[in-house]
């Protein structure tokens, strides 16, 4: 539990893809137990994304992956405001699903299950900056 708390405070983010959002896997948050891997993911929005008067830079989700069955289960989502305020977390009660090749879930699963390694990690600020730049292109 202490390792998870440290990971939440100091994420080590690797880019997994850019589409509607820029998506980053937090490798510091990976926990493995048998065929199950759990990990946190950051979704970065385009710069200036707002709802009402509140500016958001993205949000965090916790995921559980079955590395053998190749399934993904998004457990929740917590928004991330530009001022650093997180949450609250909203549970995602949808069942686990097959991580389709080329999709965000498959890319995250590959990182969580150790199929991809040796990637440079970014801080939260670096990931937000890089993600927002990538979304402009």
């Amino acid at each position: 539990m202490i390792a998870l708390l440290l990971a939440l405070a100091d994420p080590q983010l690797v880019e997994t893809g850019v589409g509607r959002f820029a998506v980053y896997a937090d490798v510091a948050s990976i926990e493995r137990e048998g065929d199950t891997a759990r990990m946190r993911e950051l979704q970065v929005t385009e710069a200036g994304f707002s709802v009402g008067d509140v500016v958001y830079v993205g949000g965090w989700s916790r995921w559980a992956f079955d590395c053998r069955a190749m399934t993904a289960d998004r457990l929740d989502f917590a928004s991330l405001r530009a001022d650093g305020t997180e949450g609250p977390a909203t549970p995602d009660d949808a069942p686990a699903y097959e991580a389709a090749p080329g999709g965000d879930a498959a890319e995250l699963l590959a990182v969580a299950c150790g199929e991809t390694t040796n990637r440079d990690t970014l801080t939260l600020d670096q990931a937000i900056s890089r993600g927002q730049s990538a979304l402009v292109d």
Side-chain angles (χ1 to χ4, degrees), residues 2-56:
I2 291 174
L4 179 59
L5 291 175
L6 291 174
L8 297 178
D10 193 18
Q12 296 175 10
L13 301 162
V14 296
E15 184 179 307
T16 60
V18 178
R20 181 173 173 209
F21 303 102
V23 179
Y24 295 86
D26 181 3
V27 296
S29 70
I30 296 172
E31 295 181 330
R32 293 287 305 264
E33 185 175 319
D35 291 332
T36 302
R38 294 180 179 274
M39 181 180 68
R40 200 165 72 140
E41 167 241 1
L42 173 68
Q43 292 179 338
V44 176
T45 64
E46 70 275 1
F49 178 85
S50 63
V51 177
D53 293 336
V54 179
V55 178
Y56 293 89

